[in-house]
């Protein structure tokens, strides 16, 4: 049996007797891609062009006419031309009166004009029904088949019937229409394609600053200090040893930063005695960036795991092992087996492996393709309960690794403690506060606040009797 590509087949075929004609103004890349997709889905397409005789690149089956002639063929016209050329529509004001104009344009930068392109189009052709749509769907997605988030087509317009007809076309193309309301939303919709990782800026900047600080801190302790005091050249440590310290510290610190805003929010709610007051803007933004911070932390954890795997093949490690073996052989000394050290080493490895496993589980469940198939309770269990378990395991992994060295004065170099002590500040703070918050006397009050109870409200008597607002 011959295999058919799903990218070339329409997701929704329109019966021939119900075939609808749609006009597209513009024969550029986007107009051609959209026209081809609509033809595949059973629509009859008429292109409007300044040069109707030049149509060698257009999809077969499409008709090409002048703008005025094409506009008379359909009551739905997709405007696939740049804003700079919208002036040509003023000559077609009477022809376009009462028709649905679908603006698919984008700008080169955010807030480039005082008003959105769709609103500008409405000013030029006041008698038409303007609908903003398709601007978040790329020509590549139309040609290759939209997947996941690229299926979403934001739609807005003042006329509900016109908007509904456009949304029907969106569905026929196998896309998901998202109604954003009136044409006032067009400006925001036009900014969507221009946003470059808007929720990743703070996490990336914070992570970069954290890594630079930790790297410099470790260089001072492990490279500059030995050179100044002992005249030893340890610059080779900057290639593997120091990065393998920076990455786990950054991962644990960022994991603590993920859960820190949650406990701060709980403290604010307890202090205020209500959930009906907004959090500060910085805390709101911080909480919205937790997913990105967690994914970056997972990336650092992966790097730590990879760097750890190469430790046995490093020249420095093999050199130390050989020298130690030879020295013991010459001196005829051996290290006695220590059950305590064996336990600590195995616990250190076990906590690290388990922490990394749950870390990966947190990252997987944060992916849209996974989070969309679990309910809210399941998602909350993984991200909250298992998240704190991950934080506990990773913190224990670091504590056991440091052991007595954390409190030893011999570990100080120029009064600087080991970098792993810095890694424990935020995670331990979060865990201590969280332990206090889950105490029954505090957790009960916090739960009632989150169910709608207010400490100083007039209706507090009724809420005390269990009549809470949801």
């Amino acid at each position: 049996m011959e295999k058919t590509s799903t990218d070339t087949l329409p997701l929704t075929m329109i019966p021939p007797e119900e075939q609808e004609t749609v006009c597209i103004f513009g024969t550029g890349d986007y107009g051609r891609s959209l026209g081809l997709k609509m033809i595949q889905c059973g629509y009859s397409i008429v292109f409007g062009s300044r040069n109707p005789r030049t149509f060698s690149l257009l999809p077969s089956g499409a008709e090409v006419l002048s703008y005025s002639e094409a506009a008379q063929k359909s009551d739905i016209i997709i405007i696939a031309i740049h804003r700079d050329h919208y002036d040509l529509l003023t000559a077609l004001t009477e022809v376009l009166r009462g028709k649905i104009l679908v603006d698919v344009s984008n700008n080169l930068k955010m807030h480039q004009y005082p008003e959105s392109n769709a609103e500008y189009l409405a000013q030029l052709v006041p008698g038409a029904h303007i609908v903003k749509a398709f601007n978040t769907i790329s020509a590549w997605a139309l040609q290759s088949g939209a997947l996941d988030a690229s299926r979403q087509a934001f739609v807005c317009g003042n006329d509900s019937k016109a908007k509904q007809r456009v949304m029907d076309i969106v569905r026929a193309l196998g896309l998901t229409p998202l109604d954003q309301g009136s044409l006032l939303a067009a400006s925001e919709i036009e900014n969507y394609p221009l946003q470059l990782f808007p929720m990743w800026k703070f996490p990336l900047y914070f992570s970069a600053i954290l890594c630079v600080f930790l790297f410099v801190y470790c260089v001072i302790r492990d490279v500059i200090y030995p050179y100044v005091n002992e005249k030893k050249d340890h610059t080779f440590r900057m290639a593997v040893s120091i990065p393998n310290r920076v990455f786990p510290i950054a991962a644990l610190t960022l994991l603590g930063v993920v859960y820190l805003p949650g406990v701060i929010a709980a403290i604010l709610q307890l202090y205020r005695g209500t959930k009906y007051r907004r959090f500060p803007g910085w805390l709101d933004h911080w909480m919205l960036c937790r997913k990105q911070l967690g994914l970056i932390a997972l990336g650092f954890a992966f790097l730590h795991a990879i760097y750890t795997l190469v430790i046995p093949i490093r020249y420095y490690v093999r050199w130390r092992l050989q020298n130690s073996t030879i020295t013991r052989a010459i001196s005829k000394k051996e290290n006695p087996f220590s059950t305590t050290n064996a336990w600590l080493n195995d616990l250190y490895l076990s906590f690290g492996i388990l922490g990394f496993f749950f870390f990966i589980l947190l990252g997987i469940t944060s992916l849209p393709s996974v989070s969309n198939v679990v309910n809210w309770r399941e998602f909350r269990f993984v991200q909250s309960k298992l998240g704190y378990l991950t934080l506990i395991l990773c913190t224990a992994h670091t504590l056991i690794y440091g052991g007595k060295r954390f409190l030893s004065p011999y570990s100080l170099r120029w009064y600087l403690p080991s970098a792993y002590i810095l890694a424990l500040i935020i995670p331990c703070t979060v865990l201590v506060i969280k332990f206090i918050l889950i105490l029954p006397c505090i957790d009960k009050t916090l739960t009632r606040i989150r169910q709608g109870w207010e400490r100083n409200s007039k209706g507090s008597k009724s809420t005390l009797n269990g009549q809470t607002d949801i």
Side-chain angles (χ1 to χ4, degrees), residues 252-299:
L252 183 57
T253 301
L254 289 175
L255 185 60
V257 169
V258 168
Y259 291 95
L260 182 57
V263 297
I264 294 176
I267 293 173
L268 280 175
Q269 289 179 333
L270 284 170
Y271 175 75
R272 295 170 173 177
T274 179
K275 72 170 186 178
Y276 296 110
R277 289 180 59 184
R278 290 187 61 87
F279 295 129
W282 58 269
L283 183 57
D284 268 336
H285 185 69
W286 187 355
M287 296 181 75
L288 291 174
C289 293
R290 288 181 294 180
K291 174 182 175 180
Q292 289 77 11
L293 287 167
L295 291 175
I296 295 175
L298 178 59

Side-chain angles (χ1 to χ4, degrees), residues 315-335:
Y315 169 77
Y316 174 69
V317 174
R318 290 186 286 111
W319 174 82
R320 286 191 60 181
L321 182 61
Q322 291 172 358
N323 274 16
S324 176
T325 303
I326 294 173
T327 301
R328 290 197 191 98
I330 294 174
S331 61
K332 297 182 180 181
K333 292 182 179 180
E334 63 177 19
N335 289 331

Side-chain angles (χ1 to χ4, degrees), residues 29-35 37 104 106 133-147 149-153 173 175 193:
D29 293 338
Y30 194 84
R32 295 197 305 270
S33 300
L34 185 57
K37 188 69 175 178
V104 301
N106 284 316
F134 293 112
N135 70 301
T136 56
I137 308 297
S138 66
W140 179 88
L142 290 170
Q143 293 173 2
S144 60
L147 298 172
S150 60
R151 287 185 182 275
Q152 297 179 348
L173 299 185
L175 305 173

Side-chain angles (χ1 to χ4, degrees), residues 98-100 127-132 155-167 179 181-183:
K99 295 184 182 293
I100 300 173
H129 305 297
I130 310 300
V131 177
K132 186 74 183 184
V155 182
C156 71
N158 295 331
D159 189 280
S160 58
K161 293 182 179 179
K163 187 164 53 175
Q164 186 58 51
R165 290 192 62 184
V166 174
M167 292 173 69
D179 190 349
S182 70
L183 207 59

